Amino acid sequence: MILPDDPKYAVKKVQVYVREIVDNELGFKQVSLSCPAKTKIYLFVSNEKMIVGCLVAESIKQAFRVLSEPGAVLPEGQDLLQHHRAWCCSTEPEPAVCGVSRIWVLGPRRGRGIARRMVDVVRSTFIYGCYLSTNEIAFSDPTPHGKLFATKYCQTPNFLVYNFISNN
Ligand code: COA
């Protein structure tokens, strides 16, 4: 875990990593993290000392619940990595504590519980002495992969989202 108060070289290095590897794959265009002072970055390091997962968590105040879309499935053959909006959400804000700004796992290591373990760690370490419930964490504008993961992880399709561009 890299905290805002950690040595500058460490924070800088991980920010460059997030920008070059994670943001690139997620299709993010922004160059820096929105509020580094409120951001904790989690890296999943494999036994071979390789970074195979990354999660950027930030402090948030509110989020919105994804609305169920009965029977909604992605058309066959659609590229899951294309970042089209795969969900709709309520317009009523709900209080929330921790936002998952980015979550990424190296392709060949996916489907082995790495993202799950990273979110578990965030829930137990983001606020000292407190284990956050899945109703206190939200996902930033989830990709289709992110939506499938969050639905499984939170055990509901109505998980919380934040930080998206509204179409209204
Ligand atoms: N499709 C269906 N289910 C999925 C899924 C997917 N793409 N990704 C995860 N899940 C489910 C798993 O089946 C698993 O369920 P289980 O615990 O009942 O077996 C659960 O979610 C946890 O999965 P886990 O193995 O911890 O996820 P992961 O390590 O493969 O990482 C992502 C998931 C989304 C982080 C990874 O696919 C990724 O990095 N994608 C590209 C980046 C991205 O889109 N990030 C999301 C930004 S919001």
Side-chain angles (χ1 to χ4, degrees):
M1 176 166 61
I2 292 95
L3 301 172
D5 298 338
D6 280 345
K8 276 220 168 64
Y9 77 88
V11 175
K12 261 254 137 25
K13 189 167 182 177
V14 80
Q15 283 179 352
V16 168
Y17 174 82
V18 167
R19 200 159 62 218
E20 289 182 356
I21 311 286
V22 181
D23 286 5
N24 197 22
E25 189 160 335
L26 289 173
F28 281 24
K29 296 283 183 291
Q30 72 193 74
V31 280
S32 55
L33 300 169
S34 50
C35 185
K38 288 184 175 170
T39 302
K40 292 179 182 173
I41 303 176
Y42 297 77
L43 299 176
F44 191 102
V45 181
S46 71
N47 290 339
E48 317 86 74
K49 303 222 184 316
M50 200 167 78
I51 295 169
V52 295
C54 176
L55 189 158
V56 180
E58 60 189 348
S59 193
I60 57 168
K61 298 239 174 326
Q62 62 177 38
F64 302 83
R65 211 159 272 287
V66 169
L67 300 173
S68 299
E69 305 153 75
V73 285
L74 288 171
E76 219 172 293
Q78 197 162 324
D79 181 1
L80 275 175
L81 287 178
Q82 266 180 21
H83 193 178
H84 51 268
R85 177 70 47 77
W87 47 270
C88 304
C89 70
S90 161
T91 51
E92 291 294 318
E94 293 183 28
V97 177
C98 171
V100 175
S101 158
R102 293 133 165 101
I103 180 165
W104 169 87
V105 172
L106 186 69
R109 303 293 174 101
R110 289 180 193 161
R112 300 185 193 181
I114 292 179
R116 179 182 285 284
R117 284 174 66 186
M118 288 196 294
V119 181
D120 286 347
V121 169
V122 169
R123 288 170 65 192
S124 60
T125 60
F126 192 73
I127 305 280
Y128 180 76
C130 168
Y131 189 73
L132 296 174
S133 81
T134 51
N135 287 320
E136 293 170 305
I137 59 167
F139 294 84
S140 170
D141 198 358
T143 61
H145 277 304
K147 184 188 176 197
L148 291 163
F149 167 75
T151 299
K152 262 288 173 73
Y153 185 87
C154 300
Q155 295 181 304
T156 173
N158 312 116
F159 60 91
L160 292 171
V161 294
Y162 76 107
N163 201 24
F164 47 84
I165 299 160
S166 165
N167 289 328
N168 298 325

